[in-house]
Structures are given as structure tokens and as C-alpha cells.
Amino acid sequence: MNHTSHKHLSSANLPQLAKGVATPGYDRSQVETGIVHLGIGAFHRAHQAVYTDSVLTTGDLRWGILGASLRSGDTRDALNPQDGLYTVAVRDGSGSSFRIIGSIQNVLVAPESPETLLAAMTDPKVKIVSLTITEKGYCYSPASASLDESHPDVTHDLANPATPRSAIGFIVEALARRRKNGTEPFTLLSCDNLPANGQTLKRVVTRFAELRDAELGAFISEHVAFPSTMVDRIVPATTDDDRAGVTDAIGLADNWPIMTEPFTQWVVEDHFPSGRPAWEKAGVTFVGDVDAFELMKLRLLNGSHSTLAYLGYLSGHETVSDTMAGEGFATLIERMMDEEITPTLPVLPDFDLDAYKKQLRERFRNPALRHRTWQIAMDGSQKLPQRLLNTIRVRLEQKASFDLLALGVAGWMRYATGTDERGNAIDVRDPLAGEFKARTAGKTSASALLETYLGMEQIFGTDLPANTAFHDAVGDALAKLIGQGAARTVAEL
Ligand code: NAI
Ligand code: CS2
């Protein structure tokens, strides 16, 4: 993986780092594993692992992280040869800073050895199992947020409990073993962009456990903690140019540095019966109920992000910052935030919402982060409900306008056809991509496409397709996109 003449990032080579690069301020050889993280992707490494690295620096060495991929070996192949070390490169218009993170001790690849991961999750010293497995990793129906019992991973894991494939399967088997051994359960900490992510995780885990063994399901429901969290830091996928740039900047070759922004926020319900790192010392906010923070973030940031992704991609913009510079887009997002999303949010006392929204739009404009519209467009079927559809449901209850939100939904429909405005194929990544293709084959009119998508109950439920105002608003927007394209439609707003 080392494509440069530089020596490799490793514990032994840390003294050869360029000046000004921050390094772990603790003895990594003394760190114990207290956390297992499922889904060892870019976001975890820019967010939770950084907060935990800061706690380790305070001297509490119980909280090392064992990372696990339930899919591929790419992160393991990148990090383990460099002793789990990696660079977090924080970038914005004023420049870059670099910090080597040491909180991840090792990375496992679950499909290679499910037993190794299960043994780690059963270790009494592991007090927290956290997750960033993407929305689709929860094996749930997006509209109902309940377990999809027909999901192939669910049916496999119910039949093969000792060799699971899904995060849920691993979690339930590990909890069953801990219960049998008389070991207290770990706390489950979802760090994915889901509504009420802790409750959603509890719902799918408990249901899966019940299907295995009613008593186990009852035990988990009563004795296992699932605090919800609001997580926020923009973390684009790392490119080869990023790798080369970071390697040159720090003076050692890093197989997989992480690129992110200065802004970071983590709001967590403080419910950890088996203990937790003192994350508050690293700037984490602990609350009794995270709902208001989560709705604000999922609707204002992520709803805007998905709207920019679909309409931006269709307009020919590669990144979010490029899209924000496109004619009419900044106004679209400001109006959507102010006129249609803000009235659906609970009021957070003593919180400057206007400043928060202004900061969001500045974050979207960050010229140093190349956050691709194509990346954000992924898994739209899993994201639309919490980002746009639930907001529209509130606007319908308020008997208020939602034309801009409807345009975001129509943008997704147009994108999901898999053909762009120049007739080129779109690489649509989505668990339901095959179903989109099959259902929309040969359909080109707005009305035909609208009916086809609204027929997908797992995304739109049954209420929205039956609602005339929703049907007409999305249909009108989709007709404009098909008739005159996304760029002109946005510019004319
Ligand atoms: P990534 O692509 O770097 O990592 C995704 C991780 O999820 C990988 O480890 C992958 O193996 C795992 N995964 C994918 N499908 C899975 C499945 N079906 N079962 C189990 N594991 C699965 O993506 P990244 O950037 O780390 O984002 C992951 C999640 O983190 C997002 O889906 C979102 O929920 C949350 N997040 C991401 C932010 C970002 O800006 N990237 C910011 C805030 C939250
Ligand atoms: C993005 C999010 O890829 C996406 O869906 O909208 O990952 C976004 O970058 C984060 O939620 C920001 O906190």
C-alpha cells in the first residue's frame, strides 16, 4: 500500500513525523480494550475514536477500541500494519492540521473469524459496543423502523446464531453468551444517522432476540442499555490524492488517513450502567433526552445534504461545495431551512438556531473538503424517511407548505432512475437499487415514476402515497425536473 518513498506510519516511526503533527499522549502498550466498535469506517475514526483518544490522554487507559468490519478487510489491511495508528486531517479554507490517533488498537474482519469477534464482545472488560454500520446495517424497514424479518442476514443469523453475519446477530449472540457466563451486558451505542438511534437499535435487537428465544428477548429488553446519540462531523471518503497529500504533509506514509472539518459535535444520553469513558472531558454533551438535538441535525443538516446531493448531482456538480456555488442552491437551502424545516423543530432553550443554520451553510461551502454528491446520495431509500419525509409529515399536520422538501424528494426519485440528464448511467448505490431498476424499467413520465416510487411502502409507508397534497407537490416537482432539468428548476425558484 506504500506508494511513496516515505517510511510507514507506525509506533516505531512516530519520532520521524514532521513537526507540528500531534501524537497520542499516552502509553499505548498499557491501554486495555473497553470498547468494541462495529463498522470501523471513516466517520468512527473522525469522531468517536478521536473523542476516546482524548480521554486516553487524560490517563484513563481502560477505553481502547477494538474495531471490527462485518464486511471487508480493507480497513484492517490498512491500519493493522501501522499499529492501528492513522491521521485525522482537519481542513477548511484557513488550512490543515494533522493529528495521529492511537485509540484503535486492532481491527478484526468478522466474516474471516466470527468466533474471534464474539470472544472479544464476550470479554467482561468490554463495557460498550458502538456502531457505525450505515442505516442499511440495521436490517430494518425504513418507513416503520422495525426489524425486516425477511432480510437475508436476519434469516441466516436466526438459523446460524454462532456464525452471524449481521451486527444484530453478533450483538444478540454476544449478549446471550455474557448472560450465560454471568457477565453483565455491555451498553449498546448507535452512532448512525437514524431517528432515535438507540431506541431503533433496541427495537431490532430485542425483536431478533425474541425470534431466537423469548426469554433472551425479555432479558435484553429489561437489562441492556441503548442510549441514543446525535452525532455530527462531515467526513468524506478518503481519496488517493488525500493519501498522497497527508503522507507528504506528515512525512510518513499513512495507508488510510481521514479527512474532516473542524466542527464536531456528539450529544449522548447518559445511560451507561457498565461505565463509560469521561467523554465530557473531550467536549461531549451528555443529556437526559437527545431527541431535540437529533431532529434538528437530521432535518436541517441531513435533509439539506440529501437535497443538495440529488439536485446537485443531476445539475452536474461533483461536490457539496460546488453545488452550494451553483445558481439558486444557497437560496434553496436557506429557504428550506427557514421556511419549511425550522417550524417542525422543537424549541431548544437558550440555543441560537439562526447561528446554527448559518454555520451549517458555511460547513457545506467548505472548499477544502471534497464531499461528493454521489457519496451522500447513497442509500437514499434508508435515509429519506428521517431526512425529508418525516419533516413533510409534520408540515402536512401543520397544513403548511413543503414545496422545497418535495423538490428534494423528487430529486431522489429522478436520481434513482439510474440515468442522468445527459442519458448517462448513474451508479446508484442502495439496498433497493435492483428494485428501483426493475420497477421503473420503461417508465419515463413523471406520473408513471411517481406512482412507481410511491408504491414502495417500505420507504413511503401508506399515509403519504394516499395524501393528495403530498402526491401533487412531489409530482409537480418531478415533472419540472424531467421537463427542464434540475439546474434550471433550482435557478427558477
Ligand atoms: P464508511 O463507508 O467509511 O464506513 C461504513 C462502515 O459500515 C464500514 O465499516 C462498512 O463495513 C460498514 N457497513 C456497511 N454496510 C453494513 C452492513 N450491512 N452491516 C454491517 N456493517 C456495514 O462510511 P462512514 O463515513 O464511516 O459512515 C458510516 C455511518 O456513519 C453513516 O452511514 C452514518 O450513519 C454515520 N455518519 C457518517 C458521517 C459522515 O460524514 N461520513 C457523519 C455522521 C454520521
Ligand atoms: C451525509 C452524512 O453521507 C451522508 O448521508 O449526509 O454522512 C453527513 O456528512 C453527516 O451526517 C454529517 O454529520
Side-chain angles (χ1 to χ4, degrees):
M1 298 277 282
N2 181 354
H3 310 300
T4 74
S5 58
H6 292 84
K7 280 190 176 175
H8 227 101
L9 175 60
S10 70
S11 301
N13 290 337
L14 283 177
Q16 297 178 54
L17 278 167
K19 288 210 176 322
V21 178
T23 56
Y26 50 91
D27 180 352
R28 298 182 76 219
S29 69
Q30 300 305 307
V31 174
E32 294 181 335
T33 303
I35 299 170
V36 168
H37 185 79
L38 307 181
I40 191 77
F43 176 60
H44 172 73
R45 295 167 56 207
H47 188 267
Q48 304 103 60
V50 173
Y51 285 109
T52 304
D53 191 72
S54 297
V55 171
L56 292 170
T57 304
T58 68
D60 184 353
L61 302 182
R62 293 174 294 165
W63 302 107
I65 300 168
L66 170 66
S69 171
L70 277 63
R71 288 289 177 277
S72 72
D74 55 358
T75 307
R76 182 273 312 272
D77 297 343
L79 292 195
N80 287 3
Q82 41 194 64
D83 303 316
L85 295 166
Y86 64 94
T87 314
V88 168
V90 176
R91 312 171 78 176
D92 64 8
S94 62
S96 301
S97 63
F98 305 93
R99 174 178 171 185
I100 306 299
I101 300 298
S103 53
I104 295 174
Q105 297 168 290
N106 194 24
V107 178
L108 300 179
V109 183
E112 290 178 5
S113 170
E115 190 51 39
T116 306
L117 177 54
L118 286 167
M121 292 172 75
T122 310
D123 183 334
K125 286 184 180 164
V126 169
K127 305 296 186 186
I128 296 170
V129 170
S130 51
L131 303 91
T132 49
I133 55 172
T134 78
E135 295 85 345
K136 58 185 173 294
Y138 291 76
C139 304
Y140 78 149
S141 162
S144 65
S146 56
L147 183 70
D148 175 1
E149 296 177 20
S150 65
H151 191 293
D153 287 353
V154 170
T155 52
H156 170 275
D157 292 357
L158 287 172
N160 306 277
T163 54
R165 288 183 192 150
S166 70
I168 299 165
F170 275 99
I171 288 166
V172 170
E173 177 61 14
L175 287 171
R177 293 188 186 189
R178 290 174 78 107
R179 182 179 179 223
K180 188 175 172 200
N181 299 344
T183 303
E184 62 177 352
F186 40 66
T187 295
L188 281 155
L189 189 63
S190 170
C191 297
D192 276 298
N193 280 328
L194 299 178
N197 54 16
Q199 293 161 44
T200 298
L201 181 59
K202 178 172 184 174
R203 189 179 309 113
V204 297
V205 164
T206 305
R207 180 59 188 152
F208 181 92
E210 280 168 5
L211 292 171
R212 264 191 58 173
D213 167 350
E215 213 181 302
L216 178 59
F219 171 81
I220 290 173
S221 178
E222 191 177 338
H223 298 289
V224 179
F226 294 80
S228 286
T229 71
M230 183 276 266
V231 292
D232 189 2
R233 193 169 210 185
I234 292 176
V235 187
T238 300
T239 65
D240 285 342
D241 285 349
D242 294 329
R243 282 182 180 84
V246 169
T247 294
D248 289 342
I250 69 169
L252 291 176
D254 184 345
N255 289 327
W256 204 327
I258 297 297
M259 322 308 289
T260 189
E261 61 174 337
F263 181 93
T264 183
Q265 185 177 21
W266 198 9
V267 183
V268 185
E269 288 176 350
D270 198 356
H271 183 39
F272 293 78
S274 314
R276 62 168 175 79
W279 279 315
E280 65 279 4
K281 293 181 181 174
V284 175
T285 306
F286 284 96
V287 294
D289 183 334
V290 79
D291 276 1
F293 291 95
E294 175 207 274
L295 283 177
M296 178 182 72
K297 192 263 180 177
L298 282 176
R299 292 181 179 177
L300 284 170
L301 189 155
N302 295 111
S304 302
H305 241 194
S306 290
T307 299
L308 288 165
Y310 299 119
L311 298 175
Y313 184 97
L314 291 167
S315 301
H317 299 304
E318 188 183 359
T319 67
V320 170
S321 54
D322 295 342
T323 305
M324 283 296 283
E327 186 183 355
F329 277 97
T331 304
L332 161 63
I333 294 304
E334 184 169 0
R335 285 187 54 209
M336 179 188 268
M337 286 182 174
D338 289 346
E339 297 170 19
E340 298 187 3
I341 300 172
T342 297
T344 72
L345 300 176
V347 175
L348 266 174
D350 308 323
F351 184 80
D352 188 342
L353 189 57
D354 285 339
Y356 178 79
K357 291 185 283 187
K358 188 167 181 293
Q359 184 183 43
L360 279 180
R361 295 191 293 268
E362 281 314 302
R363 291 170 61 195
F364 292 161
R365 290 191 179 92
N366 185 343
L369 282 190
R370 297 195 57 72
H371 202 175
R372 295 176 64 195
T373 49
W374 176 81
Q375 179 185 348
I376 299 168
M378 284 183 191
D379 297 344
S381 68
Q382 314 290 306
K383 296 177 178 178
L384 234 61
Q386 58 268 24
R387 295 183 179 207
L388 295 170
L389 301 181
N390 292 343
T391 315
I392 290 174
R393 287 187 167 98
V394 177
R395 295 296 284 167
L396 286 166
E397 286 165 14
Q398 296 172 340
K399 297 188 177 9
S401 67
F402 56 93
D403 292 342
L404 303 179
L405 292 161
L407 180 58
V409 175
W412 170 78
M413 290 180 175
R414 177 64 187 80
Y415 178 91
T417 63
T419 304
D420 71 16
E421 294 178 0
R422 285 158 291 286
N424 300 320
I426 303 174
D427 179 7
V428 177
R429 300 287 179 86
D430 191 297
L432 302 180
E435 196 170 336
F436 301 153
K437 206 170 182 71
R439 285 176 175 245
T440 61
K443 294 173 182 170
T444 54
S445 72
S447 56
L449 288 170
L450 178 71
E451 297 316 321
T452 299
Y453 286 122
L454 293 187
M456 299 184 80
E457 189 177 327
Q458 68 269 55
I459 302 172
F460 293 94
T462 53
D463 58 331
L464 292 177
N467 183 291
T468 306
F470 176 79
H471 186 279
D472 293 350
V474 176
D476 291 350
L478 184 56
K480 280 204 184 97
L481 292 178
I482 292 172
Q484 60 184 29
R488 185 173 160 197
T489 299
V490 173
E492 285 181 355
L493 284 174

